[in-house]
Amino acid sequence: MRRLILSDIHGNLEALEAVMRDAQGLYDEVACCGDIVGYGASPREVIRWARTALTSVIRGNHDRAVWEPGVLDSFTPSARIAVAWCAQVLSAGDREWLRGLRAGPFWGDGFGLVHGSPDDEDAYLEYNMDVRGVDRLLRRSPCFLGHTHIQGGWKWHSGRMQQMPIPLPGEPERVVTLVADVLYLINPGSVGQPRDHDPRAAYAIWDDTGRLLTYRRVEYDIESAQRRIVDAGLPQSLATRLAVGR
Ligand code: ZN
């Protein structure tokens, strides 16, 4: 089975379409670590795609914020504006669909999905110190996460933790063979709002037969995504950040 692993699409249709074109023929199923909406100006189109395309999916904090206003307390002002706009433009059916998304962790057949961390869907696992002890919480390996919008991850072997190698700026991909008795926590990166100083859309493919993990980056029409954000009346900063990848 080859799984396309997506996270943090955030209503960015241009980035999503570029990823799906780039990955065509390379996967059998699609999994998502949450944050389908928020920030971007195409939540309806992205949800329409998600409702049929995703075979495994968990919710992110932005998906939850659309129907649970208490979540907004931890959001930046621009994120709050984007969620309020999103809740307004979505149909009742789409809001219900978001509400029906399960919380992570999801432990699947040979893989796991979490949004933040296995024991806290809102925790940010960004630095090495953030993942201390997290290996003990992994009931499947590889386990995929999102939330930080930073492609990468960690592996644990014989009590030692190491960061995963990712594509360098300009490189389209990095392929890693995963070892059976090593624990992996893998961040495919963000499709719709990368924050690792590489503005290209990020994703991963996990082929469990060949035990190959491929991190990929793909260029997309950033200007078009930015125009939609501005035309929707959303904060300019949400458009600007797409071009710098942070
Ligand atoms: Zn996110």
Side-chain angles (χ1 to χ4, degrees), residues 2 8 13 19 44 46 60 70 154 160 196-197 206-207 212:
R2 301 164 306 166
D8 300 279
L13 183 65
V19 163
R44 285 165 297 201
V46 172
W154 297 267
R160 283 190 51 218
D196 44 13
H197 305 275
W206 165 232
D207 173 352
L212 291 179

Side-chain angles (χ1 to χ4, degrees), residues 147-192:
H147 199 36
T148 62
H149 302 203
I150 295 170
Q151 196 173 47
W154 297 267
K155 63 177 179 178
W156 289 264
H157 185 47
S158 308
R160 283 190 51 218
M161 185 250 287
Q162 268 184 295
Q163 283 185 300
M164 296 294 289
I166 54 166
L168 300 171
E171 285 181 356
E173 69 177 22
R174 184 62 70 99
V175 185
V176 189
T177 304
L178 302 194
V179 180
D181 59 348
V182 174
L183 290 173
Y184 294 91
L185 183 59
I186 303 292
N187 194 326
S190 169
V191 171

